[in-house]
Amino acid sequence: FDGALLWVGTDSALFNFDGSSWVKYDSSNSILKSSEIKAIGKNNFGIYVAQESAVFVFHNAQWIKLNYYLDYQLILKYILHV
């Protein structure tokens, strides 16, 4: 739980629960490249989602794709140490 928000990653999609309803995120309705979720992390900036070849952050209700080379230190700090 993150306050009233639960995030669940599966091999078919990413889901969040706000206490009353579920929202499904996958490649059909977001910038996620595939449906398979490898890892989920969190900090004060947002929810980080790792997939096979990309890392995304959900911040202020928007998805941002992280540039692996430019954001490598950010990924190490916030994904691998959560």
Side-chain angles (χ1 to χ4, degrees), residues 42-54:
K42 169 194 165 312
N43 69 5
N44 292 336
F45 186 76
I47 302 294
Y48 293 78
V49 176
Q51 295 190 303
E52 187 70 32
S53 62

Side-chain angles (χ1 to χ4, degrees), residues 26-28 30-36 51-56 65:
D26 61 19
S27 59
S28 71
S30 70
I31 67 168
L32 298 176
K33 297 295 182 191
S34 70
S35 296
E36 186 172 359
Q51 295 190 303
E52 187 70 32
S53 62
V55 176
F56 302 90
K65 181 181 179 185

Side-chain angles (χ1 to χ4, degrees), residues 1-75:
F1 257 130
D2 176 28
L5 192 60
L6 174 70
W7 290 85
V8 178
T10 71
D11 60 354
S12 63
L14 176 70
F15 299 88
N16 75 26
F17 183 67
D18 66 5
S20 62
S21 62
W22 289 93
V23 176
K24 176 182 176 182
Y25 297 99
D26 61 19
S27 59
S28 71
N29 66 350
S30 70
I31 67 168
L32 298 176
K33 297 295 182 191
S34 70
S35 296
E36 186 172 359
I37 306 302
K38 299 291 187 184
I40 301 172
K42 169 194 165 312
N43 69 5
N44 292 336
F45 186 76
I47 302 294
Y48 293 78
V49 176
Q51 295 190 303
E52 187 70 32
S53 62
V55 176
F56 302 90
V57 62
F58 190 71
H59 173 73
N60 289 337
Q62 294 183 12
W63 286 104
I64 302 164
K65 181 181 179 185
L66 298 181
N67 180 312
Y68 180 79
Y69 297 104
L70 296 178
D71 300 322
Y72 182 70
Q73 293 302 318
L74 181 73
I75 293 167

